[in-house]
């Protein structure tokens, strides 16, 4: 019995010592709590042993947990480099990054470096912070170090590509994105940005091959399928583009860009009813609504339904006058040019009447101002009486009284 008690006391002392060393070396704040519990439990256990006091089981269990179980569990975890203190510090830094508190994130990571050294994941997260702060030189410095410590970090290569792209070194950026995919062939972000760069550089064939490879890993991504379709249109592969647009709309039926592009293909192929159906789906879209109406007008003219086309044209011009030039320059509208010209002529007459009415109202306001202030002040009023913005500001001057003196007000 005495030997058992001595073993328990020795083990407790060893655990307290080990946890204390880990607190200093590995920055494990939780160890302070464990050391306190173990010491408190040992402080109770020693007099119980010394005076040979009998303890009921309900007291022995928590005492055993405090002396042996908890400290032993954490000692084993820390021995296997599972250190909750370090994890918490890194998680805290990640939280700062996710909440866009980049400076605080860097400060937390610097503390972590002081405790555990310069590890790849720490260097990489610091580089991301500097990237967000637009300090690209510092970001690049830490990315290189992260890659040096872990050459399999595909996200680091991707981030380096982003930095190089910001520095307009597109060729090197492409190399880094390709390196990222070489390490991790399913990395979505690299596919997306690399495809865009290939397209911008006019490398449509490379972009097509890239998107096809990406879809093998991400068949559920309507963005990749849509991008592939756009590249195929650039390559003149209309049939393949049509199939991919239809597939993209199966994945996500609400892609207005895909609906509009598919409608254009149907229109090009002479499938007017299908095109009309597609365009009608997006007439309420803020970005594609008027564009869709313009195409609908073209379809109605092609089908010799001039009254319907005219209704659409009137709506378009009233909503956005820039469509006047488009309609006047579009050859297909020559079939109903007289109707369009009559509408535009009447519209201009109405506009001229409105402009004349507004000018008459302005002249009336000028006269009222001069009558109100009197002839003695007419000369001063002429300095600003032609300023229409001032006149509009003072349109209710007969009710509100004299203009407030802004210098004194």
């Amino acid at each position: 019995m005495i030997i058992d008690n001595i073993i328990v006391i020795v083990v407790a002392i060893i655990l307290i010592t080990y946890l204390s060393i880990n607190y200093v070396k590995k920055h494990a704040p939780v160890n302070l709590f464990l050391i306190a519990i173990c010491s408190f439990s040992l402080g109770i256990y020693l007099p119980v042993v010394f005076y040979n006091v009998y303890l009921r089981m309900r007291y022995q269990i928590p005492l055993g947990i405090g002396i042996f179980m908890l400290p032993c569990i954490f000692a084993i975890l820390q021995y296997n480099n599972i250190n909750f203190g370090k994890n918490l510090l890194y998680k805290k830094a990640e939280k700062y990054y996710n909440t866009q508190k980049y400076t605080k994130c860097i400060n937390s990571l610097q503390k972590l470096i002081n405790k555990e050294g310069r590890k790849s994941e720490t260097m990489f997260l610091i580089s991301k912070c500097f990237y967000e702060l637009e300090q690209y030189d510092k970001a690049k410095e830490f990315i290189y170090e992260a890659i040096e410590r872990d050459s399999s970090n595909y996200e680091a290569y991707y981030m380096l590509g982003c930095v190089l792209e910001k520095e307009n070194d597109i060729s090197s950026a492409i190399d880094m994105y390709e390196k990222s995919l070489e390490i991790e062939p399913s990395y979505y972000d690299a596919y997306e940005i690399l495809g865009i760069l290939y397209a911008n550089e006019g490398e449509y064939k490379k972009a097509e091959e890239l998107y096809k490879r990406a879809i093998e890993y991400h068949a559920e991504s309507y963005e990749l399928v849509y991008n592939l379709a756009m590249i195929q249109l650039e390559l003149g592969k209309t049939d393949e583009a049509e199939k991919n647009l239809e597939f993209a709309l199966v994945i996500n039926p609400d892609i207005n860009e895909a609906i509009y592009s598919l409608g254009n293909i149907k229109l090009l192929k002479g499938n007017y009813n299908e095109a009309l159906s597609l365009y009608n789906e997006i007439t309420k879209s803020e970005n594609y609504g008027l564009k869709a109406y313009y195409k609908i007008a073209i379809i109605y003219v092609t089908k010799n339904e001039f009254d319907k086309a005219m209704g659409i044209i009137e709506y378009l011009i009233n909503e956005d006058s820039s469509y006047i030039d488009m309609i006047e320059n579009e050859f297909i509208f020559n079939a109903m040019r007289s109707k369009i010209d009559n509408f535009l002529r009447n519209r201009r007459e109405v506009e001229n009447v409105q402009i004349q009415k507004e000018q008459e109202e302005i002249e009336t306001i000028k006269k009222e101002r001069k009558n109100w202030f009197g002839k003695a002040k007419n000369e001063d009023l002429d300095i600003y009486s032609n300023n229409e913005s001032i006149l509009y500001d003072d349109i209710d001057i007969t009710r509100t009284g004299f203009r407030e003196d802004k210098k004194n007000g």
Side-chain angles (χ1 to χ4, degrees):
M1 190 71 176
I2 295 175
I3 295 175
D4 293 343
N5 291 330
I6 292 173
I7 291 173
V8 170
I9 293 169
V10 170
V11 170
I13 293 171
I14 291 172
L15 289 171
I16 290 171
T17 304
Y18 181 79
L19 293 172
S20 299
I21 292 171
N22 275 1
Y23 171 74
V24 175
K25 286 188 174 181
K26 297 187 175 181
H27 187 66
V30 71
N31 285 12
L32 287 177
F33 178 68
L34 295 169
I35 291 166
I37 290 177
C38 191
S39 300
F40 178 75
S41 301
L42 184 59
I44 295 175
Y45 186 75
L46 285 173
V48 168
V49 173
F50 184 77
Y51 293 107
N52 197 23
V53 177
Y54 171 74
L55 287 178
R56 294 182 179 181
M57 186 59 68
R58 61 184 177 184
Y59 297 121
Q60 290 183 31
I61 291 174
L63 202 61
I65 291 173
I67 291 176
F68 181 75
M69 291 295 293
L70 276 179
C72 188
I73 290 170
F74 275 83
I76 292 170
L77 291 172
Q78 291 174 19
Y79 180 78
N80 290 284
N81 291 321
I82 304 174
N83 192 310
F84 290 98
K86 286 187 287 188
N87 288 343
L88 286 173
L89 193 56
Y90 188 81
K91 291 294 183 184
K92 185 178 181 182
E94 282 187 322
K95 183 179 179 181
Y96 282 138
Y97 177 81
N98 293 331
T99 54
Q100 301 181 359
K101 297 176 182 177
Y102 303 119
T103 303
K104 287 186 175 181
C105 179
I106 292 170
N107 292 336
S108 294
L109 292 172
Q110 292 289 0
K111 292 178 183 178
L112 187 58
I113 289 171
N114 293 335
K115 297 296 180 181
E116 69 169 11
R118 304 171 76 84
K119 292 190 175 182
S120 178
E121 63 177 3
T122 310
M123 299 298 101
F124 178 55
L125 187 52
I126 291 178
S127 72
K128 290 170 68 176
C129 290
F130 280 121
Y131 178 83
E132 296 296 339
L133 292 170
E134 299 183 0
Q135 299 181 32
Y136 301 123
D137 288 338
K138 287 186 177 180
K140 191 157 57 173
E141 175 187 337
F142 282 97
I143 293 171
Y144 280 128
E145 187 170 353
I147 291 172
E148 183 180 348
R149 294 178 182 279
D150 181 8
S151 60
S152 65
N153 189 339
Y154 62 91
E155 290 182 299
Y157 284 105
Y158 172 82
M159 181 58 65
L160 181 55
C162 292
V163 173
L164 292 168
E165 193 178 346
K166 289 289 184 182
E167 296 176 343
N168 291 320
D169 189 354
I170 304 301
S171 177
S172 297
I174 288 174
D175 290 341
M176 292 303 103
Y177 295 138
E178 288 177 340
K179 180 65 177 178
S180 177
L181 288 173
E182 183 182 321
I183 298 169
E184 179 47 71
S186 65
Y187 190 32
Y188 182 92
D189 292 349
Y191 280 118
E192 189 174 39
I193 197 166
L194 189 55
I196 292 170
L197 287 180
Y198 278 146
N200 290 341
E201 295 294 305
E203 299 281 356
Y204 298 121
K205 191 65 180 176
K206 284 186 178 180
E208 182 188 27
E209 293 172 358
L210 181 82
Y211 283 129
K212 284 182 177 178
R213 181 154 48 99
I215 291 168
E216 291 178 6
Y217 295 100
H218 304 282
E220 77 290 348
S221 172
Y222 65 87
E223 294 98 337
L224 292 175
V225 177
Y226 172 77
N227 289 347
L228 174 60
M230 293 298 99
I231 293 297
Q232 288 171 333
L233 283 176
E234 292 288 347
L235 291 169
K237 299 180 178 181
T238 309
D239 292 339
E240 292 181 44
E242 182 179 9
K243 290 178 182 178
N244 281 314
L245 286 171
E246 289 172 345
F247 180 43
L249 289 171
V250 169
I251 301 171
N252 184 353
D254 300 321
I255 321 172
N256 292 334
E257 300 94 323
I259 295 172
Y260 181 75
S261 298
L262 185 58
N264 290 343
I265 293 175
K266 300 292 187 183
L267 177 59
L268 183 66
K269 289 186 171 183
N271 300 328
Y272 300 128
N273 291 335
E274 292 182 49
L276 192 61
S277 176
L278 287 164
Y279 290 135
N280 279 324
E281 287 185 39
I282 55 173
T283 52
K284 294 182 180 179
S285 166
E286 183 177 349
N287 295 325
Y288 287 89
L290 295 181
K291 294 179 182 179
Y293 274 121
Y294 182 76
K295 297 291 186 177
I296 290 172
I298 289 176
I299 291 173
Y300 282 143
V301 172
T302 305
K303 296 173 69 175
N304 293 325
E305 298 181 24
F306 299 128
D307 289 339
K308 289 183 179 180
M310 196 63 223
I312 299 295
I313 290 170
E314 290 178 9
Y315 173 77
L316 277 172
I317 291 174
N318 288 330
E319 288 294 314
D320 186 350
S321 59
S322 67
Y323 277 93
I324 293 175
D325 291 337
M326 294 176 64
I327 291 168
E328 287 183 337
N329 294 324
E330 177 58 58
F331 175 79
I332 200 167
F333 290 117
N334 286 346
M336 52 181 295
R337 186 62 62 189
S338 59
K339 287 188 176 184
I340 295 172
D341 290 343
N342 286 335
F343 168 74
L344 291 175
R345 191 182 306 110
N346 293 333
R347 187 173 181 273
R348 290 190 188 100
E349 289 176 359
V350 171
E351 287 178 351
N352 290 334
V353 170
Q354 183 64 29
I355 291 170
Q356 185 177 356
K357 184 178 179 182
E358 289 177 357
Q359 289 296 328
E360 290 175 355
E361 289 178 355
I362 290 172
E363 291 300 323
T364 301
I365 293 170
K366 287 180 181 179
K367 291 178 182 179
E368 289 179 354
R369 286 172 60 87
K370 289 187 177 183
N371 291 335
W372 179 267
F373 284 98
K375 294 181 180 179
K377 295 187 178 181
N378 281 351
E379 190 173 340
D380 294 334
L381 286 170
D382 286 339
I383 297 173
Y384 59 88
S385 61
N386 290 324
N387 187 326
E388 294 181 6
S389 63
I390 294 176
L391 290 170
Y392 281 125
D393 289 342
D394 291 340
I395 195 167
D396 293 329
I397 193 168
T398 55
R399 294 194 295 272
T400 59
F402 292 98
R403 171 188 292 275
E404 183 180 356
D405 187 352
K406 294 183 178 179
K407 292 182 180 179
N408 299 327

